[in-house]
Amino acid sequence: MPGPTMFAPQRRARRGAALTLVFAGVLATGAAAGAFDADPDDGRTPAYGAPARTAARAVDRNAVDRRAVEAAAEAAAQDGRSGSEAAAEVVSRSGDSWGAVYSAREYEGFALALDGAYVGVGLTTRRTPDGRMEAGSVLPGSPAERAGIASGDRIVSIDGTDVTGRPVTEVVSLLRGDRPRDDRSAGAARSGPNGVGTPVRLVLQRGRRQWERTLRRVRLVTESVEVARTGDGGGPPATLVKVVSFTKGTGERVREAVAGAPHGEGVVLDLRGNSGGLVTEAVTAASAFLDGGLVATYDVHGRQRALRAQRGGDTRRPLVVLVDGGTMSAAELLAGALQDRGRAVVVGSWTFGKGSIQMPSRLPDGSVAELTVGHYRTPAGRRVDGAGIAPDLAVRGDAEQRARTVLGGLGGGS
């Protein structure tokens, strides 16, 4: 992601700490209550951030860092210097490995993504074990699809930047076209909100063929929940509920999908590749399967709080949760809650392991600083950060078919 050049090489991989990736170009974050400058002790629920590797750190130390970051930004602004650069410098020395400073424009895009919308080209990205960047899924009707890009195509470069070996968060930022606030280029001046209409030049490779395409960014809307019935290939019929991300309204859509499933039919809740989002939406989704009770606990500056499900969920319908290494943050919280409460069998592979909390603070120049203030735990007290969620049944190959087999054993046939 863009930022002060002197910090970019070290900080770019960390700037996804409180972000959710929803297709290529979506980065969502913020307090779950939807407020900036939220007092961590006022009872509001913070955001459950997305991908980031864990680093042990003292929460109290980060509380001091937040004040230092704000003070540095204010002092710099008074001296006519860049407050965001000064704040980024403090964050880089703070000991908070996943703290970050975002431009006002970046945060504007994050707020848009919370509504399930984003500006981009309709392309997810993934990094292979050898560091190559590949196209993941391609959104139907998007600029990426119209350009003939297909899943598995290698992304060699974006606007002249070789993306091999770079963090996915940085590649997403390049696809979004995020710029520093002082960018006054003609292209920026002509672009719409959040870069709508700006071009992005991709060099791609398929087999031995390499080619170049220039796409224009558009505003796209995603569906966070997909529902289907499966009944072929052996095993009992089941309702498959695929949750892509936890944006606004996701939890209620999960509840509606469960309520609409045929009586006696099991549900496969697919959280594979779900990199998180709003924790309140994950709690609402948990309420579809629980009759109240604990979903998670979390601490903010050492003070403990609890997240509880609403009463009235379907506690009898057989349930299997699918997870993998791309299951992160709020999705891990949901999987861990259903597992600890004995409500579901978790099938797949170990999840990512991101359970730290970042809170936003707006700086004088409009940029936003995010610093870690606490961590989440499952109902059984397990700390997700750095550990992830272990599946009850580890599978390779056709995980969905294995999930339906497990459903059959749970009595999930109609």
Side-chain angles (χ1 to χ4, degrees), residues 272-410:
R272 291 174 298 177
N274 183 322
S275 53
L278 294 175
V279 68
T280 49
E281 296 297 336
V283 173
T284 300
S287 300
F289 306 102
L290 300 171
D291 186 20
L294 192 63
V295 174
T297 59
Y298 66 97
D299 63 274
V300 175
H301 296 313
R303 296 181 61 177
Q304 299 296 315
R305 293 191 173 85
L307 298 171
R308 300 184 182 278
Q310 302 169 30
R311 297 190 64 86
D314 187 336
T315 61
R316 300 178 62 85
R317 188 184 298 274
L319 174 64
V320 172
V321 178
L322 279 174
V323 298
D324 64 7
T327 304
M328 307 175 185
S329 303
E332 291 178 284
L333 188 71
L334 174 57
L338 296 174
Q339 186 181 55
D340 280 4
R341 296 282 301 273
R343 182 60 189 89
V345 176
V346 178
V347 174
S349 55
W350 279 86
T351 64
F352 187 88
K354 173 63 172 70
S356 60
I357 304 165
Q358 287 73 38
M359 287 290 251
S361 178
R362 192 180 289 279
L363 303 177
D365 66 353
S367 58
V368 175
E370 292 255 2
L371 293 175
T372 300
V373 297
H375 297 84
Y376 283 99
R377 291 182 183 272
T378 68
R382 291 182 293 164
R383 181 163 165 163
V384 177
D385 211 37
I389 300 296
D392 298 307
L393 176 63
V395 301
R396 294 181 180 178
D398 192 347
E400 184 177 321
Q401 181 58 45
R402 293 294 297 275
R404 289 174 55 202
T405 301
V406 172
L407 273 182
L410 296 173

Side-chain angles (χ1 to χ4, degrees), residues 115-319:
D115 290 322
Y118 68 100
V119 173
V121 296
L123 182 67
T124 65
T125 61
R126 62 192 179 213
R127 194 167 74 172
T128 63
D130 61 0
R132 293 186 302 170
M133 194 62 57
E134 289 184 348
S137 60
V138 180
L139 187 66
S142 67
E145 185 192 50
R146 292 196 296 272
I149 300 173
S151 177
D153 287 345
R154 179 184 176 186
I155 304 173
V156 179
S157 67
I158 301 174
D159 285 334
T161 299
D162 187 343
V163 297
T164 301
R166 294 181 181 271
V168 172
T169 50
E170 183 178 340
V171 175
V172 167
S173 181
L174 290 170
L175 288 169
R176 277 179 48 87
D178 292 320
R179 297 185 180 87
R181 284 170 53 83
D182 59 357
D183 190 324
R184 296 292 184 267
S185 68
R190 289 195 300 268
S191 67
N194 294 307
V196 171
T198 56
V200 56
R201 179 168 52 87
L202 306 182
V203 174
L204 303 123
Q205 184 172 329
R206 184 182 301 165
R208 295 184 178 181
R209 176 194 170 214
Q210 190 171 105
W211 75 101
E212 180 179 308
R213 287 287 185 273
T214 297
L215 288 66
R216 289 197 174 271
R217 301 178 179 95
V218 297
R219 186 181 187 277
L220 298 165
V221 178
T222 65
E223 290 294 336
S224 62
V225 179
E226 302 168 2
V227 183
R229 291 195 71 228
T230 61
D232 55 351
T239 296
L240 177 65
V241 181
K242 169 70 174 176
V243 183
V244 177
S245 61
F246 288 101
T247 54
K248 290 180 181 177
T250 297
E252 192 56 42
R253 285 192 281 275
V254 171
R255 289 170 61 118
E256 292 171 356
V258 174
H263 178 71
E265 185 169 283
V267 168
V268 176
L269 180 63
D270 189 352
L271 301 179
R272 291 174 298 177
N274 183 322
S275 53
L278 294 175
V279 68
T280 49
E281 296 297 336
V283 173
T284 300
S287 300
F289 306 102
L290 300 171
D291 186 20
L294 192 63
V295 174
T297 59
Y298 66 97
D299 63 274
V300 175
H301 296 313
R303 296 181 61 177
Q304 299 296 315
R305 293 191 173 85
L307 298 171
R308 300 184 182 278
Q310 302 169 30
R311 297 190 64 86
D314 187 336
T315 61
R316 300 178 62 85
R317 188 184 298 274
L319 174 64

